[in-house]
Amino acid sequence: MNLAAFTDPNNLLAVFVAVVTFATLVTLAVPLMRRNNLEARLKSVSSRREELRRKSREAISASKSGGSLRQTDESLYKKVVERLQLSRLLEDPQVVDKLAQAGFRGPRPVSTFYFFRFVLPFVFAAAVAFYLFLINDFGLSPMNRVAACVAGLTLGFYAPNIYISNVAQKRRESIVGAFPDALDLLLICVESGMSIEAAIQKVSQEIGGASIELAEEMTLLLAELSYLPERRQAYEGLARRTNHPGIKSVSTAMIQAERYGTPLGSALRVMAKENRDLRLAAAEKKAAQLPAKLTVPMIVFFLPVLFLVILGPAVLRVMDMMGPGGS
């Protein structure tokens, strides 16, 4: 196979169509093949309570021996980050909160994030330079090709942040969509006489069918309520990991109920109504944006076909009338 096959626009168009078709098929097939791993995820999150207790015992023994409780990460990413001091070079004070919002907790995701944030700019720039300088330059001047390499470098630098933001956004949407129902269940459990810990545990078991992410967060909240010295820290951690105004208001209301002894049932009832209104407002906002978003697809895909169906027979009849056998 010669080099011209890689630079032929028809081949590039065929590859692009094949990739788009494959991506469409994967998008349609993945939800059908996805397994419900709720039990495994809840089991892994439930083990956090035992892990926190173990860390507490290790902290007591470490304080006696002068050791440290700091978690260690012995992966290759961690070694590269420490050797090149990427945590200082690419310092991001909010990286832990961003990763937690995306569902990645612990020291390993932080090292992985810094590693790919350092490597991907060079990978993207090298890929663009290899294609433009060795395969097909598309008639661009050397300065424009260098500018394209710089653009690939910039895209590689921001690619990890874009990926984390997209994952966090999808996770937040899943949590927010089921959160009003979880508040209703929590209100029913509390008003029936259950303690807040038992109510949270019951809700985490029941809400998994609607949102595995929310069930995971509720189970993690239960573990932190059992371990942390102040219950306020557990509620603040839930608000920080979800980063949603409705959940933040619920966390604040539960903190105030714990501090001042106000009835928790009335606060949950008000918060459930507010979160349900927020969900309805978000749905109405998406519905209002739909006509504007459909304008371009309608113009590009629907109108040409509509014109072809309407005007096609008339054009064919005119062509027959103007032909050699027409009268």
Side-chain angles (χ1 to χ4, degrees):
M1 185 179 293
N2 53 7
L3 187 61
F6 294 97
T7 60
D8 189 2
N10 294 327
N11 293 339
L12 295 178
L13 180 60
V15 171
F16 175 75
V17 173
V19 170
V20 172
T21 304
F22 178 75
T24 304
L25 293 177
V26 170
T27 304
L28 296 176
V30 165
L32 300 178
M33 298 184 296
R34 184 177 299 169
R35 296 182 302 174
N36 189 0
N37 56 351
L38 173 61
E39 295 182 0
R41 295 183 64 173
L42 288 181
K43 183 178 179 181
S44 63
V45 176
S46 299
S47 63
R48 180 171 175 82
R49 178 184 302 176
E50 297 299 328
E51 179 184 356
L52 294 175
R53 291 177 178 174
R54 177 181 57 81
K55 289 169 63 177
S56 178
R57 292 192 295 267
E58 291 178 358
I60 296 174
S61 61
S63 62
K64 296 179 180 179
S65 60
S68 175
L69 186 61
R70 184 181 299 275
Q71 262 187 327
T72 58
D73 180 14
E74 301 298 334
S75 63
L76 176 62
Y77 300 150
K78 180 65 175 180
K79 296 178 181 178
V80 174
V81 169
E82 289 181 348
R83 182 68 61 85
L84 300 179
Q85 295 184 353
L86 298 181
S87 58
R88 293 184 179 180
L89 180 64
L90 307 173
E91 184 178 3
D92 187 355
Q94 298 180 350
V95 63
V96 177
D97 291 339
K98 291 179 181 178
L99 292 174
Q101 292 168 13
F104 304 112
R105 292 180 290 272
R108 185 182 295 270
V110 177
S111 303
T112 305
F113 174 80
Y114 280 127
F115 176 81
F116 280 102
R117 196 174 187 185
F118 175 75
V119 171
L120 285 183
F122 300 103
V123 173
F124 278 44
V128 174
F130 176 79
Y131 190 85
L132 292 181
F133 285 93
L134 299 180
I135 297 181
N136 187 3
D137 58 0
F138 293 102
L140 298 176
S141 63
M143 185 60 67
N144 290 334
R145 282 179 280 176
V146 172
C149 294
V150 174
L153 187 74
T154 305
L155 180 61
F157 180 78
Y158 288 104
N161 279 330
I162 295 174
Y163 172 76
I164 294 298
S165 299
N166 290 336
V167 174
Q169 179 65 26
K170 293 180 180 178
R171 190 170 185 272
R172 188 182 304 112
E173 290 176 356
S174 175
I175 292 174
V176 172
F179 192 66
D181 299 332
L183 284 181
D184 291 334
L185 292 175
L186 191 63
L187 174 62
I188 294 173
C189 294
V190 170
E191 289 186 340
S192 65
M194 297 174 65
S195 64
I196 186 64
E197 290 85 357
I200 293 176
Q201 182 178 5
K202 184 64 176 178
V203 172
S204 64
Q205 296 173 356
E206 297 294 334
I207 205 63
S211 174
I212 297 179
E213 292 78 6
L214 180 57
E216 183 180 1
E217 288 295 333
M218 298 290 284
T219 308
L220 184 57
L221 173 63
L222 178 62
E224 291 182 346
L225 285 173
S226 303
Y227 166 74
L228 293 177
E230 295 185 11
R231 301 166 68 87
R232 173 182 57 83
Q233 298 178 2
Y235 294 126
E236 290 177 351
L238 175 64
R240 185 172 57 254
R241 291 191 302 268
T242 54
N243 193 25
H244 185 265
I247 301 179
K248 288 182 179 179
S249 62
V250 172
S251 300
T252 303
M254 297 182 77
I255 292 173
Q256 292 177 352
E258 293 278 351
R259 178 179 300 177
Y260 302 111
T262 57
L264 186 58
S266 58
L268 288 176
R269 185 178 291 105
V270 174
M271 292 296 104
K273 183 178 183 304
E274 290 183 358
N275 279 270
R276 198 176 295 106
D277 293 340
L278 286 176
R279 185 173 61 179
L280 181 59
E284 292 177 349
K285 181 180 179 181
K286 288 185 178 180
Q289 294 175 350
L290 190 60
K293 293 181 178 180
L294 286 178
T295 301
V296 175
M298 287 284 291
I299 294 174
V300 175
F301 298 105
F302 288 92
L303 290 182
V305 178
L306 185 62
F307 288 153
L308 182 63
V309 172
I310 295 176
L311 300 179
V315 172
L316 293 177
R317 178 168 297 182
V318 171
M319 293 175 62
D320 292 340
M321 293 177 60
M322 298 181 63
S327 55

